[in-house]
Amino acid sequence: MRPKRLIMRGFITYKDKVDIDFSKLYDKKIFLVSGDTGSGKTSIFDAISFALYGKVARNITSDRLRCDFLSEDDPYTFVSLEFEVKDKTYLIERIPRQVAKKTKKAQNIGNSVSFFEIIDGEKKFISDKQGETDLAVKKIIGLDDKQFSKVMLLAQGQFQEFLSAKSSDKAALLGDIFKTYEYKDIQDRLKEASRDYLTKMDYIDRELSNTIDYSDEVKKLVDKDNILTHEFDLIIEDIDQGKNKLDNNYEKILSSEEKLDNSLKELYQNLEETRSFNEGVKKYKNLEKELNLYINEEDKNKKLLREIRKGELAQNILVYEKRYKQAVLDKNNLLESLEQDEIRKSKEKNRLADLEKSYNNLDTDKKILDEVKISYENTKKTLIELETFESYKNSYQSLDTDRKTLEGLLNKKEILEDKQKNNRKIFDLANEMLREISEKGTLISKNLEILLENTRKLENDYKKISEIDEFNKEINNLEEDKKQEEAIEKKALENDELNTINKMIDKLNEDKVCPVCKTIHKNPLEKYDVDSYDLGEIRKKLANINQALALRKSQIEKIRKEISSDEKLADIKILLDKNYANKKDLEEKLIDLREKYKSKAKDIKSYKKIIEETNIEIEENTLKIKNIEEKLEDSKENEIKYLSLKDKMEGLNKDDLEYSKQKLKEKIDKLSKNIDSITKSYQDLELKLRELDSNIKNKKLSIKDLDQKSELYLKEFEEILYKNFEDRKTYEILLISYEENKEEKDGLEEFFRKMDRLKTSLENYASYKNEDEKDLLLVNKKIEEKANDKAILSDKKAEVFSEITIFTKVLGKITNLKDEYDRSLKSAETLAKLSKLADGSFGKVSGREKIDFETFVLTFYFDKVLRLANIRLLDMTDNQFSMVRNSDATDLRSKAGLDIEILDANTGKLRPVATLSGGESFLASLSLALGLSDEISMENGGIKIDTLFIDEGFGTLSKDYLTNAITAIEKLAYEDKFIGLISHVDELKEAIDSKIKVTYEPNLGSYVEVIS
């Protein structure tokens, strides 16, 4: 961004309008804003900042920007800035909030803005809304207001404060500039994830207890201490031993079952072999029958297929014959066309010879034409002189009448002017009333706009708070559902125990022996009443409820961040009702003002029409007066001219002259037309003959080429024809035959393919030749007997397998819980460490660099800023001073990472910033600000920082340091930067030629003089 022109009026210390043309200072690159302390030097930079962003670096509110020398009756305050960005020019004008004269005195004026792009001297509208304009300016320049004040506008004292600021203050400023809030978000998310994993570990403990309680047999095997200490391996070992006993019993049953299976397998194999054999016999007989049908048709189809294939060969040779015939046809066509061209050429030559004589005689016709044109011009001149004479004669005869008419027109002029004065007074009064109505409407519209924006925010907050209330209701309902599901889960676990007992009772009632104590029970025992529960589905519902609860709570937190008001729902409702009432009142006032405006505008239109009509009447009357006065003045001269021409002109007749002129004109047209026609015809014939010569030449070449090709094509055709056929007649017969039989080719080829497949299949089934089918009933009877034995054994196997399944399920669940526990334990420990690392609380080593994740990222940017800053600081201090980031904390509570120490090359030691002198502190601060400017330029997509304003501080420098500072600033100018300095130091005034001299007078305020 580079400023071109600044215009301001009534801004801070500037009472009157000030116009500063910065483009006059471009050539020098560096300019100085000089003047006494308090004269208004800084206010120039404040005006630039206000024009761009609606704010000033010194945090003066917009309603305090109006000059104190001005009253409410003085013109309103404004700032207008024309500036360049990347070869484009923009114009922005802002008006701060104030009470001043705009359309009337003591008028309440709100903040307003107008933003344009200047294209070829014309203004192209961009925006007049503050929010849109602020975004547009930020996008065009590439910096927001805070970055601008740290990068381009180095405000008085502010960049020196940054040098000695605490780490936390630097973090706040740099975080805002480099937008590091995303890293703070990562830090918070790590903390939340760490809490989630602790919750997950509690869930694993509950699941482990519930899983072991699922079976009494399992519960008896597991030591409770191992559950409490998470000894998953010991728990799994105990359960695995119980399962091994069941597995051994199961293996014995499987061994018996395997023997039965082998017997059944042999029987089934025998059955399958018998069936396969019978199928083979059937298949062989069917194939043999089908093949015999194909053999009967074989000879006839072979003959037809050979004939079709010879026809295909003839079709391929036909291509050569067609090519030869086409070449002969093309040659004959060209010969015929050549003959026609030769005839046309002969005719055109004869026409050209006939026309050549006329074309050669055109010079004589042109001479005649020139003579006729001279006669025509002389006649035309005489006619004009005759018409002039007639006007002199008429003027001479009407002098008395014109003098009387002039007297009447002068009287009418006086009456019309008095009438118009009265019309204008009425029109101006109506306009003033219309302006007042418009100003009232504008003020109400702006108030309505502010009210609507406030209402929109309140409505949004009301909606968000209502959503939170709805979510809280849902959370309460979900909490109730959760309690109910947990109660059901507890019942389901108890129910599982009763199911296990019932199975044991069933076993006891069946075997009459207790499966636990092995005692005999003659009387059957009654089973417990149990309900049907799906424990997996219950736990799935619980997980869904927990997930829904977490989602609702997360949504509430997200919504709370979007709420801008601290009011309660009821209070917001009251405010909204009040806003709705105010909105209705303002809208009614606007409607009333619009009606008044329409009525008054209609009156103005009527008055304007009367004024315009009167103006037209005055103009017409004035024109008549002028014409008559000129006519009277001309008449004196006309009288003399009339008398001098009388003898020469009175004998001439106008009609005769007009007739003579017309005849001459007709003769000119006829001669011109004849000359143009002969010339065009001659040139067209010459062009046509050249085209015919070219065509004849090209056609002869083509005929010669086609002669050669036709001979070659005939030779190739005859060679291939007699190579494949005995004579031409056989070739032609086969062409005809192919067209008749070509449709049958695919069918014939498929016939022989299928016949080959049948022969192959018959060979495959040759072993079944002369065989008969076998009986299957005996094999099926043996299979049925073995299947009954297996069913009895399977029932026993199912009982044992059911018990193994319970043990396997428990083992699988515990193994999964072990894996989940191991993963979660590792993740929980990792996340806990990461969370502590991210918030800077990891470890308790005194004096260790204690920084959170966001500050860590900021140190990366800050180190880059310091590297860039030190390049300039070393240059300005003769390589004595450089800045070093101090990572030590004074205590565990303090935030570290962004403090600065000074490395003194003379001592080789670090020293605090506070030990620097005023001049040294200024140079360090200036270097830091320039380094920050360079880094933001590179970080913001490489935006070009081509303007820099530095406000004060040079008065603290020694002579040597001042010389170094000026040299460093001159180097900035070599980088094509436009640099403005504010100072009252005499050495700077002498060193810098281009100046904006600011003068302040107690009664008049500030004014400037640009010295380029």
Side-chain angles (χ1 to χ4, degrees):
M1 192 286 290
R2 181 166 290 191
K4 290 185 72 176
R5 189 171 193 174
L6 176 67
I7 301 173
M8 55 182 166
R9 181 179 65 203
F11 188 77
I12 306 182
T13 60
Y14 291 87
K15 177 183 176 183
D16 297 321
K17 185 176 178 181
V18 173
D19 187 344
I20 302 174
D21 188 351
F22 288 103
S23 63
K24 293 180 179 177
L25 307 171
Y26 283 173
D27 291 340
K28 296 292 184 179
K29 303 285 188 179
I30 302 174
F31 69 93
L32 179 69
V33 181
S34 66
D36 296 334
T37 302
S39 62
K41 301 186 296 296
T42 302
S43 297
I44 293 173
F45 293 169
D46 286 337
I48 292 172
S49 180
F50 176 72
L52 292 171
Y53 299 102
K55 301 173 184 177
V56 296
R58 291 189 284 175
N59 294 321
I60 305 171
T61 57
S62 64
D63 57 346
R64 300 298 303 275
L65 294 174
R66 183 166 169 80
C67 181
D68 293 335
F69 290 109
L70 299 176
S71 69
E72 295 178 351
D73 298 337
D74 289 312
Y76 65 93
T77 296
F78 75 90
V79 176
S80 173
L81 177 67
E82 187 178 340
F83 63 96
E84 289 181 346
V85 177
K86 295 180 181 176
D87 299 326
K88 290 187 177 181
T89 302
Y90 301 91
L91 175 67
I92 188 166
E93 181 179 298
R94 288 190 191 261
I95 299 173
R97 189 165 58 251
Q98 59 191 290
V99 178
K101 179 184 177 184
K102 194 173 184 184
T103 55
K104 63 178 182 178
K105 296 178 180 179
Q107 187 176 354
N108 281 313
I109 301 170
N111 291 319
S112 64
V113 64
S114 300
F115 192 27
F116 305 91
E117 183 180 355
I118 308 297
I119 301 173
D120 297 329
E122 297 292 327
K123 292 196 292 185
K124 179 186 176 185
F125 176 78
I126 296 176
S127 172
D128 60 0
K129 293 181 181 177
Q130 294 195 55
E132 287 181 6
T133 303
D134 293 345
L135 288 172
V137 169
K138 181 182 176 182
K139 184 177 180 182
I140 290 166
I141 296 177
L143 303 169
D144 59 25
D145 60 301
K146 291 178 181 176
Q147 291 173 326
F148 182 81
S149 67
K150 300 297 180 293
V151 174
M152 298 177 78
L153 183 61
L154 308 183
Q156 184 173 330
Q158 285 193 11
F159 61 93
Q160 287 177 272
E161 290 173 10
F162 181 67
L163 176 69
S164 55
K166 294 178 182 177
S167 276
S168 56
D169 295 333
K170 287 193 183 80
L173 177 63
L174 293 171
D176 199 26
I177 290 173
F178 292 112
K179 315 298 181 193
T180 57
Y181 47 80
E182 293 176 354
Y183 303 101
K184 180 69 168 64
D185 183 52
I186 292 171
Q187 183 177 317
D188 294 339
R189 280 158 53 197
L190 282 170
K191 189 175 182 181
E192 184 66 27
S194 178
R195 283 201 297 266
D196 289 345
Y197 266 99
L198 289 175
T199 304
K200 194 171 185 181
M201 298 296 286
D202 291 338
Y203 165 76
I204 291 170
D205 285 344
R206 289 198 306 274
E207 283 293 297
L208 178 62
S209 297
N210 292 339
T211 302
I212 291 171
D213 292 343
Y214 182 77
S215 168
D216 284 341
E217 293 299 320
V218 173
K219 193 173 180 180
K220 290 173 186 177
L221 294 171
V222 177
D223 190 337
K224 289 184 179 180
D225 291 338
N226 290 338
I227 298 172
L228 294 173
T229 56
H230 299 102
E231 295 290 345
F232 283 96
D233 290 334
L234 293 175
I235 293 169
I236 291 168
E237 184 180 347
D238 291 340
I239 297 170
D240 203 38
Q241 285 175 359
K243 181 176 174 294
N244 286 336
K245 290 178 182 178
L246 289 170
D247 286 340
N248 290 333
N249 189 17
Y250 189 72
E251 286 296 326
K252 290 176 182 178
I253 295 170
L254 286 177
S255 177
S256 300
E257 191 177 41
E258 186 180 0
K259 290 176 182 178
L260 277 172
D261 283 339
N262 289 334
S263 298
L264 276 169
K265 186 177 178 182
E266 288 176 6
L267 288 169
Y268 278 118
Q269 188 175 351
N270 188 18
L271 178 66
E272 189 60 35
E273 286 173 356
T274 304
R275 282 178 179 164
S276 178
F277 178 81
N278 290 347
E279 285 296 324
V281 171
K282 286 179 184 177
K283 186 72 174 176
Y284 180 82
K285 290 178 180 178
N286 290 334
L287 286 169
E288 189 176 36
K289 184 178 179 181
E290 188 176 0
L291 182 61
N292 288 333
L293 293 174
Y294 273 81
I295 289 169
N296 293 336
E297 297 291 323
E298 182 179 12
D299 290 339
K300 182 184 75 175
N301 288 341
K302 276 183 179 178
K303 182 179 178 183
L304 183 58
L305 186 61
R306 281 196 299 272
E307 190 174 326
I308 288 169
R309 284 174 177 161
K310 284 184 178 181
E312 284 179 339
L313 181 60
Q315 281 290 323
N316 293 335
I317 295 170
L318 182 62
V319 173
Y320 289 87
E321 184 181 7
K322 286 180 178 178
R323 185 177 63 170
Y324 161 69
K325 288 180 177 179
Q326 186 62 46
V328 172
L329 180 62
D330 290 343
K331 185 185 81 170
N332 291 336
N333 289 338
L334 276 174
L335 285 169
E336 186 178 340
S337 175
L338 179 63
E339 186 179 350
Q340 294 296 325
D341 285 349
E342 292 284 4
I343 292 168
R344 280 198 296 274
K345 179 180 175 183
S346 176
K347 288 179 180 179
E348 296 301 333
K349 274 188 174 181
N350 292 335
R351 284 182 61 201
L352 184 65
D354 294 339
L355 190 62
E356 195 167 6
K357 185 177 179 183
S358 299
Y359 182 75
N360 293 333
N361 292 331
L362 282 179
D363 289 340
T364 305
D365 292 343
K366 288 176 182 177
K367 287 179 183 177
I368 294 168
L369 178 63
D370 291 340
E371 291 171 358
V372 174
K373 283 182 178 178
I374 292 167
S375 298
Y376 174 79
E377 290 299 323
N378 290 335
T379 305
K380 187 177 174 183
K381 184 178 178 183
T382 304
L383 263 171
I384 293 168
E385 288 175 350
L386 183 61
E387 286 173 359
T388 305
F389 172 75
E390 290 294 335
S391 69
Y392 293 157
K393 183 177 180 181
N394 293 334
S395 175
Y396 177 75
Q397 293 170 351
S398 62
L399 282 172
D400 289 336
T401 305
D402 290 341
R403 287 192 183 100
K404 289 176 183 178
T405 303
L406 178 61
E407 187 177 349
L409 288 170
L410 289 169
N411 291 332
K412 186 179 179 181
K413 177 185 177 185
E414 191 174 339
I415 294 166
L416 286 171
E417 285 174 346
D418 290 340
K419 178 184 174 184
Q420 189 70 321
K421 283 179 185 177
N422 188 45
N423 289 339
R424 289 194 181 279
K425 285 179 183 178
I426 297 169
F427 179 76
D428 291 342
L429 181 61
N431 251 334
E432 184 61 30
M433 293 173 70
L434 188 67
R435 275 196 298 274
E436 289 178 5
I437 293 169
S438 178
E439 287 167 5
K440 286 179 183 177
T442 303
L443 181 61
I444 291 171
S445 294
K446 287 185 178 177
N447 290 337
L448 181 60
E449 186 179 339
I450 293 166
L451 181 68
L452 288 172
E453 178 61 20
N454 186 31
T455 303
R456 186 193 64 75
K457 289 179 181 177
L458 286 171
E459 285 173 341
N460 184 61
D461 289 350
Y462 187 85
K463 181 183 175 184
K464 297 296 181 186
I465 293 170
S466 299
E467 287 178 7
I468 289 173
D469 289 347
E470 288 299 318
F471 281 134
N472 281 328
K473 288 177 185 177
E474 290 182 29
I475 287 170
N476 291 334
N477 293 334
L478 287 167
E479 292 287 0
E480 288 297 322
D481 293 345
K482 183 179 178 182
K483 287 177 184 176
Q484 291 176 12
E485 290 298 326
E486 285 175 341
I488 294 169
E489 182 187 31
K490 187 176 179 183
K491 286 182 181 179
L493 290 169
E494 292 170 355
N495 209 57
D496 268 7
E497 292 177 2
L498 292 175
N499 276 325
T500 304
I501 292 168
N502 282 343
K503 286 180 182 178
M504 294 174 70
I505 289 171
D506 287 339
K507 185 73 174 172
L508 184 147
N509 289 339
E510 183 181 346
D511 300 339
K512 307 299 183 185
V513 177
C514 177
V516 180
C517 62
K518 306 299 181 184
T519 57
I520 298 171
H521 294 264
K522 294 181 179 180
N523 298 322
L525 297 177
E526 290 186 6
K527 294 199 290 185
Y528 290 96
D529 292 331
V530 293
D531 297 319
S532 178
Y533 290 103
D534 186 342
L535 190 60
E537 188 63 30
I538 292 165
R539 286 174 175 166
K540 185 178 178 182
K541 284 183 181 178
L542 266 174
N544 290 337
I545 290 168
N546 286 329
Q547 187 178 359
L549 277 168
L551 177 63
R552 298 295 183 278
K553 289 174 183 177
S554 170
Q555 287 171 326
I556 287 173
E557 287 305 312
K558 184 179 178 182
I559 292 169
R560 284 191 198 281
K561 292 176 183 177
E562 295 172 0
I563 295 172
S564 58
S565 172
D566 296 328
E567 302 289 343
K568 295 180 180 177
L569 196 66
D571 295 334
I572 291 175
K573 184 71 171 68
I574 293 167
L575 289 171
L576 277 171
D577 291 340
K578 186 178 178 182
N579 280 6
Y580 293 147
N582 290 339
K583 174 176 173 282
K584 186 178 179 183
D585 181 51
L586 288 172
E587 285 174 342
E588 286 173 355
K589 286 180 180 178
L590 266 179
I591 291 167
D592 183 52
L593 282 171
R594 286 192 187 110
E595 291 301 319
K596 288 180 181 178
Y597 188 91
K598 286 178 183 176
S599 175
K600 192 54 63 180
K602 189 176 180 182
D603 292 342
I604 288 172
K605 190 176 179 182
S606 177
Y607 296 144
K608 187 177 179 182
K609 187 177 179 183
I610 292 168
I611 289 169
E612 287 172 351
E613 288 172 351
T614 307
N615 271 337
I616 292 168
E617 197 174 350
I618 289 170
E619 287 171 3
E620 288 175 349
N621 192 67
T622 302
L623 184 61
K624 287 177 183 177
I625 291 169
K626 183 182 176 184
N627 289 339
I628 290 175
E629 285 177 342
E630 288 176 354
K631 189 177 179 183
L632 288 170
E633 184 63 32
D634 292 341
S635 294
K636 294 176 184 177
E637 186 179 347
N638 290 347
E639 183 180 5
I640 297 166
K641 290 179 179 178
Y642 166 70
L643 295 172
S644 65
L645 291 170
K646 185 178 178 183
D647 293 338
K648 180 181 177 183
M649 293 292 171
E650 278 192 340
L652 296 174
N653 185 284
K654 185 179 178 181
D655 292 337
D656 294 341
L657 288 170
E658 286 286 355
Y659 179 77
S660 177
K661 177 185 166 188
Q662 180 63 32
K663 288 295 180 182
L664 288 168
K665 181 71 170 63
E666 290 173 358
K667 191 172 182 179
I668 289 167
D669 292 343
K670 185 177 179 181
L671 285 167
S672 297
K673 187 175 180 181
N674 185 53
I675 291 166
D676 292 342
S677 175
I678 292 168
T679 303
K680 186 176 183 304
S681 298
Y682 188 83
Q683 290 171 347
D684 288 347
L685 281 171
E686 281 187 327
L687 179 62
K688 198 167 186 180
L689 280 168
R690 282 196 293 273
E691 288 176 356
L692 283 168
D693 284 337
S694 177
N695 287 340
I696 289 166
K697 183 180 178 182
N698 290 334
K699 285 176 182 177
K700 285 179 178 178
L701 289 172
S702 297
I703 289 165
K704 184 178 179 182
D705 181 57
L706 285 169
D707 264 336
Q708 294 171 351
K709 283 183 178 178
S710 60
E711 288 177 8
L712 177 63
Y713 294 162
L714 178 60
K715 184 179 179 182
E716 288 176 352
F717 165 64
E718 288 177 345
E719 280 179 0
I720 196 166
L721 174 68
Y722 295 117
K723 182 179 178 181
N724 292 283
F725 298 102
E726 295 176 3
D727 51 41
R728 185 159 185 155
K729 185 176 181 181
T730 305
Y731 157 74
E732 290 170 352
I733 289 169
L734 282 169
L735 283 174
I736 295 167
S737 171
Y738 176 77
E739 291 299 325
E740 293 172 354
N741 299 323
K742 64 182 178 182
E743 300 298 331
E744 297 182 33
K745 180 186 174 186
D746 292 340
L748 290 169
E749 288 177 343
E750 179 58 28
F751 171 86
F752 286 107
R753 281 196 295 271
K754 191 168 182 182
M755 185 174 175
D756 290 339
R757 287 197 296 271
L758 284 170
K759 287 178 179 178
T760 302
S761 297
L762 196 64
E763 287 173 5
N764 293 335
Y765 285 92
S767 60
Y768 298 100
K769 188 176 180 181
N770 302 322
E771 295 285 349
D772 295 321
E773 295 182 31
K774 297 179 181 180
D775 186 11
L776 297 173
L777 292 175
L778 182 62
V779 180
N780 281 327
K781 187 176 179 181
K782 290 179 181 179
I783 288 171
E784 188 177 348
E785 290 171 358
K786 292 291 183 183
N788 290 333
D789 294 340
K790 184 180 177 183
I792 295 166
L793 192 63
S794 293
D795 290 340
K796 292 181 181 179
K797 185 179 78 170
E799 290 175 10
V800 177
F801 182 75
S802 176
E803 293 178 13
I804 291 171
T805 301
I806 292 170
F807 272 71
T808 303
K809 185 177 179 182
V810 170
L811 275 171
K813 181 70 175 174
I814 293 173
T815 302
N816 290 337
L817 286 172
K818 176 183 180 298
D819 293 340
E820 192 172 357
Y821 178 81
D822 292 341
R823 286 195 304 272
S824 298
L825 180 64
K826 188 175 181 181
S827 297
E829 290 172 349
T830 303
L831 283 168
K833 289 177 182 177
L834 284 173
S835 179
K836 289 180 179 180
L837 188 65
D839 65 16
S841 62
F842 188 76
K844 296 181 180 179
V845 181
S846 178
R848 181 186 56 79
E849 186 171 13
K850 180 177 181 289
I851 59 175
D852 58 27
F853 188 31
E854 183 185 17
T855 308
F856 172 75
V857 175
L858 286 173
T859 60
F860 167 74
Y861 287 116
F862 196 47
D863 287 341
K864 291 168 75 177
V865 170
L866 288 178
R867 281 197 295 274
L868 294 166
N870 281 332
I871 294 170
R872 304 190 192 280
L873 181 59
L874 287 166
D875 194 27
M876 286 192 275
T877 60
D878 297 325
N879 294 316
Q880 181 180 356
F881 295 124
S882 59
M883 290 176 280
V884 178
R885 183 174 65 83
N886 181 8
S887 61
D888 293 335
T890 55
D891 56 66
L892 286 174
R893 291 185 178 181
S894 65
K895 193 169 187 177
L898 300 176
D899 291 322
I900 297 173
E901 287 187 319
I902 302 299
L903 177 62
D904 190 336
N906 291 345
T907 63
K909 294 181 179 179
L910 293 169
R911 50 191 269 203
V913 169
T915 62
L916 293 174
S917 68
E920 291 167 345
S921 178
F922 171 75
L923 291 178
S925 302
L926 177 60
S927 300
L928 190 59
L930 293 173
L932 185 60
S933 172
D934 293 339
E935 173 55 24
I936 292 174
S937 173
M938 291 185 285
E939 189 65 27
N940 283 24
I943 63 167
K944 186 179 180 183
I945 306 297
D946 52 6
T947 301
L948 193 65
F949 301 124
I950 303 171
D951 190 356
E952 292 293 358
F954 296 96
T956 60
L957 300 177
S958 67
K959 188 174 181 181
D960 291 340
Y961 278 163
L962 180 60
T963 301
N964 290 348
I966 292 171
T967 303
I969 289 167
E970 285 175 345
K971 288 180 180 178
L972 289 174
Y974 299 151
E975 298 170 14
D976 199 26
K977 280 182 167 51
F978 183 52
I979 302 165
L981 309 176
I982 290 182
S983 183
H984 53 270
V985 175
D986 291 335
E987 286 85 349
L988 282 174
K989 293 178 186 177
E990 294 171 5
I992 299 171
D993 296 331
S994 297
K995 298 180 183 69
I996 298 176
K997 187 177 179 182
V998 182
T999 306
Y1000 177 84
E1001 293 186 11
N1003 297 324
L1004 299 174
S1006 302
Y1007 57 90
V1008 301
E1009 179 187 1
V1010 178
I1011 303 169
S1012 58

